[in-house]
């Protein structure tokens, strides 16, 4: 559980830093934050009864997907998602 929480917090921090450094646009940051917020909500729902292995893997996959989108958005410089 602590590892997933740390990964979610790191994701939030990376999104914030990327926007502060103007590596991503406010619009891109908004979409990425929304995705991160949805992951947090899912985590909270799962954590109430304890994370199963499949739930843990689902969260890790979703975190990795948002991290990949952040990397793509940082490189594209077009101000649009994806």
């Amino acid at each position: 559980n602590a590892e997933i929480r740390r990964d979610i917090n790191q994701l939030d921090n990376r999104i914030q830093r990327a926007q502060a450094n103007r590596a991503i646009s406010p619009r891109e940051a908004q979409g990425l934050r929304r995705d991160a917020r949805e992951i947090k909500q899912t985590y909270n729902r799962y954590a109430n009864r304890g994370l199963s292995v499949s739930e843990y893997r689902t969260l890790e996959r979703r975190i990795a997907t948002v991290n990949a989108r952040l990397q793509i958005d940082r490189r594209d410089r077009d101000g649009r998602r994806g």
Side-chain angles (χ1 to χ4, degrees), residues 46-77:
Y46 289 170
N48 282 336
R49 59 184 190 280
L51 289 176
S52 70
V53 172
S54 65
E55 290 169 339
Y56 181 88
R57 286 185 186 142
T58 297
L59 290 168
E60 280 293 310
R61 242 186 338 269
R62 289 179 66 190
I63 291 167
T65 299
V66 176
N67 272 320
R69 275 196 219 123
L70 174 58
Q71 291 305 314
I72 290 166
D73 286 347
R74 289 178 94 168
R75 284 188 220 122
D76 69 16
R77 300 279 189 195

Side-chain angles (χ1 to χ4, degrees), residues 25-40:
S25 71
R27 183 179 187 161
E28 289 168 327
Q30 179 183 16
L32 292 165
R33 278 196 195 96
R34 184 183 59 244
D35 294 342
R37 187 172 47 251
E38 289 171 3
I39 293 170
K40 281 184 211 172

Side-chain angles (χ1 to χ4, degrees), residues 1-36:
N1 278 357
E3 186 176 326
I4 289 285
R5 279 196 313 266
R6 186 193 71 230
D7 291 346
I8 293 169
N9 288 334
Q10 286 176 346
L11 177 60
D12 280 336
N13 290 336
R14 281 193 289 275
I15 294 167
Q16 185 176 6
R17 275 195 316 272
Q19 185 180 10
N21 294 337
R22 296 178 181 221
I24 61 174
S25 71
R27 183 179 187 161
E28 289 168 327
Q30 179 183 16
L32 292 165
R33 278 196 195 96
R34 184 183 59 244
D35 294 342

